[in-house]
Amino acid sequence: MSLESEVDLPGEAALPGVLSEELHAELVLFRRDLHMHPELGNQEFRTTAAIKERLERAGLKPRVLAVGTGLVCDIGEWDGGRPMLALRADIDGLPIPDMKTECSYRSTVPDRAHACGHDVHTAVVLGAGLVLAELDKKGLLPRPVRLIFQPAEEVLPGGAADAIDCGVLEGVGKMLAVHCDPRVDAGKVGLRTGAITSACDRLEIALDGPGGHTARPHLTTDLVTAAARVITDVPAIVGRRVDTRAGLAVTWGRIESGHAPNVIPQHAELSGTVRCLDIDAWRQAPDIVVAAIDEVANLHGAKSEINYVRGVPPVVNDADVTELMREAMTARRGADSVESTEQSLGGEDFSWYLQHVPGAMARLGVRTPGERTVRDLHQGDFDADESAITVGVEMFTAAALLDAAQ
């Protein structure tokens, strides 16, 4: 593997760690292989094996996590002194079909797709690790760096919690991550200090009543009406019990009830998500949402059983770590390569790491410049401009070197 030692930077000192064309081509093929063989959370055995083999080939010593999938790998030896910088990638796919019809590397697994860009994230962190390993061999890496390849990001409450239990944060002082953003052009990243994602919980409700005939709703519990009122009234009530700036929102995704037009059913089921922009309001959300559901159900004579599943808190970017990423991108590609980004209502379990160490996540641009069609995340036609892999690798390598110099 060849590695260029430095690059001329406009207005900045040259930094080693630029990705060679040879390694970029290899990472593209690696990403495409993952794209063709997506695996769901906690089932990423092939993916884990592929990452492990490539790191070992580079002379590194990756360790598979105790949960059976995912890896952790250190570049350099940590002496127990100043904590390390960690780079994190998520490696799981989604349970949806790949809808790309004219793509040589579309998924070969039915109803499975890398439609959130985790294959790109994995290629970026792998590439950064390979470049940093070469720098370490040459004595150009002042401090060790940890790579974390995390399983099950798409499975609430997220595989990050399991990775933390496996000890991946031991010796880590700060963390970096990227997430593909199809609204940002390749060659750029979006940064934001503070909350960049939303908290996300799951809500499952069962409503029960005696049922009856639609000719005599006054003699029973009209369960369909009760469910309808829960659907419409609970979000309104919740929105009035916290500061509206917290963005606490209940949104429904499923309702099932009844089998015949003239029968009032005895059972109804609803499920949806609870999202919140503010971490303090997120902590209060279960009590507020459950109380609102009970109130509405009781008003209509329905018995409610509620399963409130904690998901993830918001990803809150640390100001200093966000600035480190800004400096890294500026050093590599100039100040115009960084743009501001808004807070997303999507959830991300990278937030669990940030409950323990400061860190930041960047929006990695994956839209081909000039392209008008936006292939959104979690859609079967999602794809990425693969030049973004080089951008992510070089931002991470620059961040590692700049962090070591601080």
Side-chain angles (χ1 to χ4, degrees):
M1 178 182 70
S2 64
L3 179 73
E4 299 174 37
S5 61
E6 62 182 20
V7 63
D8 293 329
L9 304 168
E12 298 286 340
L15 281 174
V18 175
L19 191 66
S20 68
E21 292 184 5
E22 177 188 355
L23 182 53
H24 169 76
E26 180 189 346
L27 293 172
V28 167
L29 292 177
F30 190 92
R31 178 256 167 169
R32 291 185 178 186
D33 179 70
L34 296 186
H35 200 85
M36 293 172 67
H37 302 93
E39 297 173 298
L40 299 185
N42 296 315
Q43 301 173 24
E44 313 95 333
F45 298 104
R46 184 187 185 277
T47 302
T48 297
I51 300 167
K52 183 173 182 290
E53 187 279 331
R54 186 60 184 93
L55 291 171
E56 288 177 339
R57 192 149 40 96
L60 300 171
K61 299 178 179 179
R63 307 182 302 278
V64 177
L65 301 183
V67 292
T69 60
L71 308 95
V72 60
C73 183
D74 291 347
I75 315 295
E77 296 283 341
W78 183 56
D79 60 6
R82 182 179 169 188
M84 290 178 284
L85 175 72
L87 310 177
R88 175 267 199 173
D90 37 11
I91 65 174
D92 55 325
L94 283 163
I96 64 174
D98 190 331
M99 303 300 291
K100 297 188 294 296
T101 56
E102 298 181 3
C103 178
S104 61
Y105 52 87
R106 64 178 301 191
S107 173
T108 61
V109 185
D111 299 320
R112 301 288 185 268
H114 267 297
C116 202
H118 294 188
D119 52 342
V120 175
H121 307 165
T122 300
V124 166
V125 174
L126 174 63
L130 296 176
V131 172
L132 292 172
E134 286 293 304
L135 294 181
D136 188 46
K137 291 176 183 177
K138 296 178 179 181
L140 297 175
L141 183 64
R143 289 180 51 237
V145 175
R146 174 164 294 169
L147 314 179
I148 299 172
F149 297 91
Q150 177 216 301
E153 190 276 330
E154 298 287 354
V155 182
L156 288 179
D162 290 332
I164 292 168
D165 289 342
C166 290
V168 301
L169 291 183
E170 182 181 353
V172 170
K174 64 184 69 170
M175 292 189 70
L176 305 180
V178 294
H179 198 296
C180 289
D181 192 335
R183 301 166 301 174
V184 178
D185 282 350
K188 296 186 176 184
V189 299
L191 293 177
R192 177 185 177 90
T193 299
I196 192 171
T197 69
S198 166
C200 180
D201 299 335
R202 189 171 73 242
L203 188 60
E204 299 169 345
I205 306 168
L207 298 177
D208 290 285
H213 199 294
T214 56
R216 294 177 289 277
H218 58 291
L219 300 180
T220 186
T221 297
D222 187 348
L223 206 61
V224 173
T225 296
R229 298 307 304 194
V230 168
I231 289 172
T232 58
D233 292 354
V234 167
I237 293 171
V238 167
R240 291 297 180 268
R241 292 188 177 171
V242 294
D243 190 323
T244 54
R245 291 172 295 183
L248 182 59
V250 177
T251 305
W252 307 106
R254 184 182 72 92
I255 176 171
E256 291 185 19
S257 186
H259 300 283
N262 62 341
V263 178
I264 295 175
Q266 296 178 323
H267 184 74
E269 294 182 0
L270 302 83
S271 59
T273 60
V274 180
R275 298 182 187 270
C276 187
L277 303 177
D278 177 78
I279 195 165
D280 292 327
W282 175 72
R283 295 189 178 106
Q284 305 171 40
D287 291 339
I288 294 171
V289 173
V290 168
I293 294 167
D294 282 338
E295 288 176 23
V296 176
N298 290 337
L299 181 63
H300 293 274
K303 179 183 177 182
S304 60
E305 182 177 335
I306 305 165
N307 182 24
Y308 193 107
V309 182
R310 266 307 200 190
V312 294
V315 172
V316 181
N317 281 350
D318 177 81
D320 291 338
V321 183
T322 303
E323 184 59 27
L324 172 64
M325 297 177 88
R326 183 184 304 277
E327 292 173 358
M329 275 299 289
T330 300
R332 292 298 193 204
R333 294 177 176 263
D336 290 342
S337 66
V338 179
E339 61 183 51
S340 297
T341 190
E342 60 186 13
Q343 185 176 4
S344 164
L345 280 170
E348 232 292 348
D349 76 349
F350 184 65
S351 56
W352 289 124
Y353 300 109
L354 304 193
Q355 304 298 301
H356 301 272
V357 297
M361 172 174 280
R363 303 283 185 197
L364 180 66
V366 296
R367 180 179 62 192
T368 300
E371 184 178 6
R372 294 184 178 181
T373 301
V374 176
R375 294 180 174 85
D376 203 3
L377 301 171
H378 287 218
Q379 301 296 317
D381 65 345
F382 173 78
D383 205 354
D385 186 318
E386 291 167 322
S387 66
I389 295 173
T390 293
V391 177
V393 168
E394 294 187 354
M395 180 180 70
F396 277 164
T397 57
L401 295 170
L402 292 172
D403 179 60
Q406 290 180 355

